Amino acid sequence: MCLPPEQPLCNYTDLYTGEPWYCYKPKMLSCDSRINHAKAGYQKHLITNKEALLFQSGVNIKVPIHASGPDRIDVLPPRKEVEVESSSVKPEPIKLAPSGYYYEDSWRPLSGITMRQFNKSSAVTQCLKNKVINMYGDSTVRQWFEYLITLVPGLREFNLNSPKNVGPFMAVDSTHNILLKYRCHGPPIRFSTVMASELRYVSNELDGLSGGQTLWWSSAFGPISAPFLWRCTYGARHVRQSLVRLLDRAPGTMVVIRSGNLQALDAEVSLYNSDWYSLQLDEVLRSMFKGLNVLLVDAWEMSLAHHLPHALHPPPVIVKNMIDTLLSYVCPDKTKRQLT
């Protein structure tokens, strides 16, 4: 454990847990003997037995809400807005439209991309031919790595003697000149034990790339107390700055960012990692990368819109649609009209 200085730089009180938080500037020399990083777990039994009665599945949560009127939806053409002269400035309308929908388990984006279906491994191989793909993120990005090496028969994973859930990982298809790499992001993390020598911040990794490669990045999620929000936005700001530098020196680099997705919530998980908290962080990160020449895989909408139960690691059918979205960015089909 790194020893902090005697006086904290700042302090907060988490309004949700009531716990105090302190900001320290660590003494770098005190970390020389650090061997690994590990999560300590979560405090258990945070609610009383009476409070637990408010979190009963099928009783007062996860209860279907039946329609109070007709059980059908009529889709009408949009109304023409009537312009009214006014000296006041009109506020921007709140955008509530989803980014897409599913039709027969196939994701149909409403804008920004012509969706392709990569149902054959040969099509995926051809799309990734002569490319270097760098993946940075949490276990949901690692899930993409695992999906691709299973789907593409030519990708052979190198045994780097890395921890199964942490990495780093690397796979190569020498016949088609494909290099696929994955590395977990730096703190704050919720991984199991990670060697300190393998802890790399995404911003530093981006600064070490020459460019002209494809980057897939995702962020970690957790409860948004003031210090946690500060740490995540601070890290995302550094990633943004690194992306600006990368795109300046190598404008041909394709950068794809994955948003977070919903997960199954029980009474305990809801206390420290609810979807409401994750949604706030998702909005922060979307705003952080707004205006950059980066592409987005809207994992939040893709997991929200599907009929299968929410899962921290989405089922294969959703992962396939995410990969199809990625590959549609990398290898767009210019012969088809874009879905609108």
Side-chain angles (χ1 to χ4, degrees):
M1 180 178 180
C2 303
L3 299 177
E6 295 182 358
Q7 296 296 326
L9 299 177
C10 58
N11 63 79
Y12 299 93
T13 298
D14 191 322
L15 298 180
Y16 185 68
T17 64
E19 297 178 359
W21 288 76
Y22 300 94
C23 301
Y24 290 103
K25 182 177 181 181
K27 293 181 179 178
M28 300 306 296
L29 295 177
S30 64
C31 298
D32 289 346
S33 60
R34 183 175 181 178
I35 299 174
N36 56 42
H37 177 288
K39 67 177 183 181
Y42 300 96
Q43 187 175 349
K44 305 291 185 179
H45 312 298
L46 294 175
I47 60 177
T48 66
N49 292 334
K50 288 185 177 181
E51 290 172 332
L53 297 176
L54 302 174
F55 298 93
Q56 300 180 80
S57 180
V59 177
N60 45 28
I61 61 174
K62 294 186 178 180
V63 180
I65 300 177
H66 300 287
S68 59
D71 57 353
R72 70 175 190 178
I73 299 176
D74 295 323
V75 180
L76 303 177
R79 294 183 303 175
K80 294 183 179 180
E81 295 185 2
V82 180
E83 294 187 3
V84 179
E85 292 186 3
S86 175
S87 58
S88 61
V89 178
K90 295 182 180 179
E92 288 227 5
I94 299 176
K95 297 179 180 179
L96 300 177
S99 63
Y101 62 94
Y102 283 101
Y103 177 72
E104 296 182 348
D105 272 343
S106 177
W107 180 249
R108 304 294 181 90
L110 294 175
S111 62
I113 181 177
T114 300
M115 191 72 172
R116 295 181 59 188
Q117 298 296 318
F118 292 82
N119 297 321
K120 296 182 179 180
S121 60
S122 58
V124 179
T125 300
Q126 189 61 33
C127 178
L128 297 181
K129 187 177 180 179
N130 298 322
K131 291 181 175 63
V132 177
I133 303 97
N134 295 279
M135 296 181 174
Y136 303 102
D138 54 19
S139 57
T140 60
V141 175
R142 188 192 71 227
Q143 191 178 18
W144 290 356
F145 179 92
E146 295 166 348
Y147 181 91
L148 284 173
I149 62 175
T150 302
L151 179 64
V152 181
L155 278 173
R156 304 298 182 189
E157 184 176 358
F158 273 52
N159 183 7
L160 302 177
N161 294 315
S162 302
K164 180 180 179 181
N165 294 330
V166 178
F169 304 122
M170 181 172 68
V172 176
D173 182 343
S174 56
T175 302
H176 300 94
N177 195 29
I178 302 172
L179 176 58
L180 180 64
K181 296 188 288 185
Y182 165 82
R183 179 175 289 279
C184 70
H185 60 74
I189 59 176
R190 294 192 300 167
F191 284 106
S192 55
T193 302
V194 185
M195 294 293 293
S197 60
E198 294 294 348
L199 279 178
R200 313 283 179 82
Y201 287 100
V202 175
S203 57
N204 293 339
E205 292 294 297
L206 295 178
D207 284 333
L209 295 178
S210 58
Q213 305 169 344
T214 301
L215 305 174
W216 297 344
W217 182 73
S218 175
S219 60
F221 282 87
I224 304 185
S225 59
F228 189 92
L229 180 60
W230 180 84
R231 290 198 305 272
C232 287
T233 53
Y234 183 78
R237 185 165 66 250
H238 276 277
V239 171
R240 178 189 172 93
Q241 293 168 351
S242 295
L243 286 178
V244 170
R245 292 191 291 268
L246 173 63
L247 294 173
D248 281 344
R249 67 177 179 268
T253 304
M254 177 175 288
V255 181
V256 182
I257 294 178
R258 179 197 191 280
S259 68
N261 57 265
L262 295 92
Q263 66 169 328
L265 299 174
D266 56 28
E268 186 172 317
V269 174
S270 298
L271 295 177
Y272 60 78
N273 198 41
S274 74
D275 288 335
W276 186 89
Y277 280 109
S278 297
L279 179 60
Q280 312 312 307
L281 186 54
D282 184 65
E283 293 293 331
V284 169
L285 292 176
R286 287 171 190 262
S287 299
M288 184 65 67
F289 295 99
K290 187 177 181 180
L292 288 184
N293 186 24
V294 300
L295 302 168
L296 173 71
V297 174
D298 198 339
W300 186 274
E301 288 281 351
M302 296 177 81
S303 57
L304 176 64
H306 202 275
H307 61 82
L308 288 177
H310 300 159
L312 181 61
H313 299 101
V317 62
I318 298 180
V319 175
K320 179 191 182 302
N321 281 282
M322 293 179 182
I323 296 297
D324 283 348
T325 304
L326 285 167
L327 297 177
S328 296
Y329 283 136
V330 178
C331 304
D333 188 347
K334 299 180 181 179
T335 64
K336 293 184 179 180
R337 180 174 61 87
Q338 180 174 312
L339 292 176
T340 57

